[in-house]
Amino acid sequence: MTEAAARTRRTRGGGGAARRAERTSVSFDTAKYIERNIPNYEVLSEAALDMIEANAEQILEEVGVNFVNNPAALERWREAGATIEGERVRIPKGLARELCKTAPASFTQHARNPERNVVIGGNTLVCAPVYGPPFVRDAAGGRRYATMDDFQKFVKLGYMSKWLHHSGGTVCEPTDVAVNKRHLDMLLAHMTLSDKPFMGSVTDPSRAQDSVEMCEILFGKEFVQENTVMTSLININSPMTFDDIMMGALEVYAQNNQACIISPFIVGGAMAPVSVAGTLTQVLAELLAGVAYSQLIKPGAPVIAGAFVTSIDMNSGAPTFGTPEASHILYGAGQLARRLGLPFRSGGGLCGSKLPDAQSAYETAHTHNAALLGGVNFMLHACGWLEGGLVSSFEKFVVDADQLGILHHLARGVEVDENAQAMDAIREVGPGGHYLGCEHTQNNFKTAFWRTDVFDYKPFETWHDEGARDTQTLASARVEQMLATYQQPALDPEIAAKLQAYVDDKKASMPDAFV
């Protein structure tokens, strides 16, 4: 479907009220998703890749994977040619890889604002925020359980962040709303407080179905069936176990043409071997089985091959982030995903620090850079992650989101056109001069250098006179300023009312449950 046709198909109802809302709304500047003009960094030779692929196929055939509490999945595998013993699925060599061939190499995820659509795959990188923490932290309130108000604030910050392309999913887990109902409020926030693409619920197959139905209200039923409007996270219970909750959500999304990130969740040394090659072998085996199963549900269903892998501190047992081993695994997993012809998810602003401090900055920078260089197409947790994923930090959210701008500029590569060669400037200035006032500088200074919106570049005296503010203080002020100037993107009032009615009706249909 062409972009113009897609826009037309989504313009339904609302009449004058919808047009007035669109005219009076403010739309915040969002950079287009990253398109790399730099090569991927590859650490594995062809021989090493061949070996890992052969070992992964051997694991699937000899060891197998478990599909638990899911008789229908076992029957699908049996019909496809796998051997079933109890809940163990042993997949003949070559079968999973053959099934994976129908998954698309790239796809477009549509946003309700078509200008925010993202392409996932090929040379692109789409950045999405932190996902899943039950706690939040800010400088004023410290560490506390997350609420729906916190969730809505993170969605607003994500909408206003220039270098962030995606609204994400569970940016924090709002514990003040019943477990069986909070997904409705979270989806409503993404759909109404932002116009960027978002993720669906995966905590129960019924909640995945709710996500599809709410999207049908937002985009139109036919549009949803013909286009991808959600990307959702399906974690594998490593080692090599596929549970019925996650697989049930995957089944709903695949049947409805919605994308899933099929991703092992691995702490090396605990849920996978301590060696890089051994971990990559397990990652690939799990990915082959998971992606193949999505194609058993619906050939051509869009998927992203994920790899969330970190190492473990052998003294405390705590996960560690920003380590060289994690980067090696990310680079290798990217090579394997590209050989499969699939989009790749990994990376993020990962850190184990308790505060947005130097540790968090170093660990985050290592992972951000590895994600860019390693060919990641979808980077979840790109901003806001703290304390090993237990905490969503407001200050770290805006700092990380600001620093994503560096990835955009790095990805552009080095221009060598006539303007970039600057020969006229060099001739004009000559020996012993300076370039501040030359014509080339005057023509290019506004765009020549990337500039932060958070950090302080002022002289010491000015910085001191303004309160000697550290990075967390500057970030707190940035959060406050952004939330104070937030304006909601336009949405057809009729659609907004239908979404709210759907949420209200669903909530009223069941008692609260907190487990």
Side-chain angles (χ1 to χ4, degrees), residues 11-157:
T11 306
R12 318 174 316 284
R19 290 190 291 275
R20 284 192 298 274
E22 185 172 359
R23 285 197 301 270
T24 58
S25 70
V26 174
S27 182
F28 292 95
D29 183 26
T30 297
K32 184 184 177 183
Y33 52 86
I34 293 172
E35 294 177 280
R36 292 179 181 83
N37 290 314
I38 57 175
N40 294 318
Y41 185 66
E42 300 189 337
V43 296
L44 297 176
S45 66
E46 290 295 307
L49 291 165
D50 289 342
M51 177 197 67
I52 290 169
E53 289 177 341
N55 288 347
E57 294 271 14
Q58 191 172 350
I59 286 172
L60 290 177
E61 188 169 52
E62 294 181 7
V63 180
V65 296
N66 284 349
F67 277 75
V68 298
N69 302 319
N70 197 338
L74 299 176
E75 187 56 34
R76 289 188 183 99
W77 276 116
R78 191 191 314 277
E79 292 176 358
T83 300
I84 312 299
E85 295 180 17
E87 294 184 318
R88 182 70 57 91
V89 178
R90 290 182 172 85
I91 305 171
K93 190 172 296 184
L95 174 59
R97 186 172 291 273
E98 186 63 28
L99 290 169
C100 290
K101 289 181 179 178
T102 57
S106 67
F107 62 91
T108 297
Q109 184 184 348
H110 294 264
R112 70 173 176 90
N113 178 354
E115 294 179 1
R116 313 279 199 234
N117 292 353
V118 294
V119 175
I120 301 174
N123 70 335
T124 70
L125 171 57
V126 174
C127 298
V130 61
Y131 184 107
F135 299 100
V136 298
R137 175 182 282 279
D138 59 27
R143 186 184 192 267
R144 63 186 188 279
Y145 279 106
T147 65
M148 185 55 67
D149 181 64
D150 293 318
F151 186 97
Q152 292 168 344
K153 287 178 179 176
F154 277 119
V155 172
K156 293 175 182 179
L157 291 173

Side-chain angles (χ1 to χ4, degrees), residues 5 74 82-83 195 207 235 252 284 297 355 379 398 414:
L74 299 176
T83 300
D195 61 6
R207 296 166 199 165
N235 278 325
V252 170
L284 180 58
I297 300 299
L355 297 168
M379 181 164 59
V398 298
V414 178

